[in-house]
Amino acid sequence: MDQSDKLRLLQSDWYSPRRLHDSPTRYDFPGDRFLPNRSLMDLDRAHSLLTNKTTDFKSSKCNEVYQQKLIESQSLNSEGKRIMVFRGSSKSSTKSIRFVDELRQEMAAISDNKSKQAPYRSIPKAEMIVLDAPGLMDDYYVNIMSWGKNNVLAVGLGPTVYLWNSVDQRTHKLFHVREEDNWPTSITWSEEARTLAVGYTCSNLQLWDAESSKLIRSLQGHSGRIAATAWNGHILTSGSRDKSIINHDIRARNHLASCIKKHSDEVCGLKWSNEGDRLASGGSEKQLYIWEASKMSSSKFLHRFTDHCAAVKALAWCPYQHNVLASGGGWNDRCIRIWNTQKGICIHSIETKAQISGLEWNRHHKEILSSHGYSTGEDQNKLCLWKYPSMTKVGEFGNHEPRIINLCQSPDGVTVVSAVADESLRFWDVFGPPTTGTSMASDLQGLFSSRNSLIR
């Protein structure tokens, strides 16, 4: 036997199926490992064994167990269709699979019913705390409250600015204005909450160091009261009754970076986008402007919206869609409008039947909260929670007797505080993650032992 014959015989033994080695018949040519050579099979006999149910074939090559397995693998299911089941599973396993699918559908239906029957969280029925705020101005156009990242609430009460620390509940008087009729009309914390910007009735604009309670700098440029201020990094933007918007670069000695005069009445609303690339400004003349940060020195606006029918004070940029802005109109408008500032279109408008004094987005759920003043009906002086983007009302709460002047949100995005014309500050635990079974308690709830306390 030559070398090639030995190699051929070795390959034949190596690749032949195991049952060929056990068979008494020997063949000189191999079969494929996965698809055996059909010449080795007796196909007629195999077909007869599978289809003939009356004749009992006795064969040493096909035992009864193997024959039964072949019959079961070719059986039909309840729908009369042949099925391919991995590893020769019987028809009963098909029923179990269908049973699992039915069980999953039933569980999904139960879950849907539970979600429809019980809301994912409850709307607060009462304030978690009320602070006395004597001297708070009953003026729709002012913005005299700001909650910084240092967890300190700054509020202007008449001629005095107070700092209230929500952690230790201590109240500190930052300063008192001695001049008559020159009260703070705008208060805004810087982004790092180290500096407090304060605008006044008589066009003053000051920067205060909250830790040392010292005046850092006075910024000039306006000739009327400053009702709106907004920070964008080292840029402080102010809006005035003199119809102008000024960008102050607090790093520079000559702080006047740019001045815009497009509004035809008092600028009462200012808000920078979360990315700092766009500014929204609202005026008493019912107009809303969108400005690009890189083009403000040219006084060219990106968009001008004239859909509102009253002063546009309440402004809020969406935290999860950077091009979306919410705006609220005054007494003659009473509408919340949602804008796509990229396309320059209004994507939603909701009639609230009440003056809108503040808007705050929920950072934990897709919702927005609105505060209200005068109304045409019974919906006045309330807080309303709206689902976004459908803008369907989730609920309303807070039966304030007089109107709400301002609204702002805590740094953790859980609590909001409403400044009310009855000289009170009311804290509401309305935002936050969903609760399961127990009501959610924010950091503030564990700190207050009484329902009422004085801010001074």
Side-chain angles (χ1 to χ4, degrees):
M1 182 181 296
D2 57 8
Q3 188 69 21
S4 60
D5 291 338
K6 291 182 180 180
L7 179 60
R8 185 178 175 212
L9 181 58
L10 179 61
Q11 290 177 343
S12 174
D13 293 338
W14 199 353
Y15 292 108
S16 296
R18 174 61 60 186
R19 66 175 182 272
L20 295 182
H21 288 281
D22 299 335
S23 173
T25 306
R26 300 188 63 82
Y27 299 90
D28 295 332
F29 54 92
D32 187 87
R33 182 177 180 183
F34 302 102
L35 298 175
N37 195 318
R38 295 198 175 190
S39 63
L40 304 179
M41 303 178 181
D42 188 351
L43 297 179
D44 292 336
R45 180 176 178 82
H47 182 267
S48 177
L49 290 172
L50 293 173
T51 58
N52 193 334
K53 298 182 180 180
T54 58
T55 306
D56 186 15
F57 292 92
K58 302 295 183 180
S59 173
S60 60
K61 297 182 180 179
C62 299
N63 56 42
E64 295 180 0
V65 177
Y66 180 72
Q67 181 180 355
Q68 185 64 29
K69 289 290 184 181
L70 290 176
I71 295 174
E72 290 176 356
S73 64
Q74 294 296 324
S75 61
L76 304 178
N77 63 7
S78 59
E79 297 177 358
K81 298 179 181 179
R82 292 189 178 275
I83 56 174
M84 295 180 62
V85 183
F86 184 65
R87 291 186 179 177
S89 298
S90 62
K91 185 169 59 176
S92 60
S93 63
T94 306
K95 293 182 180 180
S96 64
I97 294 174
R98 297 212 319 263
F99 176 75
V100 171
D101 293 336
E102 293 174 0
L103 183 61
R104 288 177 178 174
Q105 293 176 1
E106 292 177 1
M107 294 298 293
I110 294 173
S111 178
D112 291 341
N113 292 333
K114 288 183 177 180
S115 62
K116 292 179 181 179
Q117 294 174 0
Y120 65 92
R121 59 189 178 84
S122 60
I123 301 299
K125 297 181 180 180
E127 312 92 333
M128 28 179 298
I129 186 174
V130 178
L131 297 181
D132 184 25
L136 191 144
M137 297 176 64
D138 185 5
D139 190 334
Y140 172 79
Y141 298 96
V142 300
N143 297 275
I144 42 78
M145 188 170 57
S146 180
W147 204 335
K149 289 184 179 179
N150 54 359
N151 227 350
V152 174
L153 178 68
V155 58
L157 303 180
T160 310
V161 173
Y162 290 94
L163 303 180
W164 179 77
N165 192 315
S166 61
V167 177
D168 57 19
Q169 310 176 50
R170 293 183 179 180
T171 302
H172 170 66
K173 184 171 72 173
L174 183 61
F175 65 86
H176 178 83
V177 180
R178 296 181 180 180
E179 302 176 29
E180 295 183 0
D181 299 328
N182 190 26
W183 293 357
T185 52
S186 176
I187 295 176
T188 311
W189 280 109
S190 61
E191 293 179 358
E192 74 281 358
R194 295 180 181 176
T195 306
L196 190 68
V198 183
Y200 294 85
T201 306
C202 297
S203 73
N204 303 51
L205 181 60
Q206 296 179 342
L207 302 180
W208 286 81
D209 187 325
E211 294 184 0
S212 61
S213 299
K214 293 182 179 180
L215 176 63
I216 303 174
R217 192 174 185 183
S218 294
L219 307 175
Q220 306 299 323
H222 288 294
S223 59
R225 79 167 181 179
I226 301 173
T229 48
W231 286 90
N232 185 20
H234 58 272
I235 298 295
L236 173 62
T237 306
S238 57
S240 172
R241 184 174 278 178
D242 63 10
K243 310 172 189 177
S244 68
I245 299 173
I246 296 181
N247 286 324
H248 309 266
D249 189 343
I250 63 172
R251 302 172 303 175
R253 184 173 183 179
N254 182 13
H255 59 86
L256 197 63
S258 61
C259 181
I260 300 172
K261 293 185 178 181
K262 288 292 184 181
H263 285 277
S264 58
D265 207 336
E266 181 177 15
V267 180
C268 55
L270 286 175
K271 192 73 69 172
W272 279 100
S273 64
N274 300 322
E275 290 74 18
D277 57 342
R278 293 182 182 179
L279 173 71
S281 64
S284 299
E285 84 282 32
K286 314 170 188 177
Q287 294 186 1
L288 171 63
Y289 286 86
I290 305 298
W291 310 89
E292 290 183 293
S294 59
K295 299 180 181 179
M296 291 194 68
S297 58
S298 63
S299 298
K300 292 183 179 180
F301 55 83
L302 179 63
H303 300 294
R304 178 174 62 187
F305 302 122
T306 59
D307 299 44
H308 284 291
C309 303
V312 185
K313 171 194 174 185
L315 299 171
W317 289 92
C318 182
Y320 25 83
Q321 288 182 291
H322 70 280
N323 286 323
V324 173
L325 171 73
S327 62
W331 162 249
N332 291 326
D333 183 72
R334 304 180 296 275
C335 286
I336 299 175
R337 302 184 189 274
I338 308 296
W339 308 91
N340 184 323
T341 61
Q342 182 69 29
K343 299 180 180 179
I345 59 174
C346 179
I347 57 180
H348 226 302
S349 179
I350 293 295
E351 167 66 46
T352 66
K353 301 181 181 180
Q355 180 186 55
I356 302 166
S357 58
L359 292 170
E360 290 289 340
W361 288 93
N362 186 346
R363 301 199 296 266
H364 304 286
H365 299 282
K366 289 190 175 182
E367 297 169 341
I368 187 169
L369 181 71
S370 58
S371 62
H372 299 275
Y374 299 140
S375 171
T376 57
E378 299 179 355
D379 297 328
Q380 65 181 359
N381 311 331
K382 291 185 178 180
L383 296 170
C384 295
L385 189 63
W386 309 85
K387 187 179 292 293
Y388 178 80
S390 65
M391 293 305 292
T392 56
K393 185 183 287 187
V394 178
E396 58 183 32
F397 54 97
N399 294 320
H400 306 77
E401 293 184 4
R403 65 176 177 174
I404 303 173
I405 303 301
N406 284 139
L407 184 71
C408 69
Q409 188 175 168
S410 63
D412 60 4
V414 174
T415 307
V416 296
V417 55
S418 56
V420 192
D422 64 355
E423 299 184 337
S424 68
L425 302 179
R426 301 174 184 269
F427 295 80
W428 307 87
D429 195 2
V430 59
F431 291 158
T435 57
T436 54
T438 58
S439 61
M440 181 173 197
S442 68
D443 294 337
L444 290 175
Q445 281 181 307
L447 294 171
F448 300 115
S449 57
S450 60
R451 298 293 296 177
N452 297 273
S453 61
L454 297 178
I455 197 170
R456 65 174 188 179

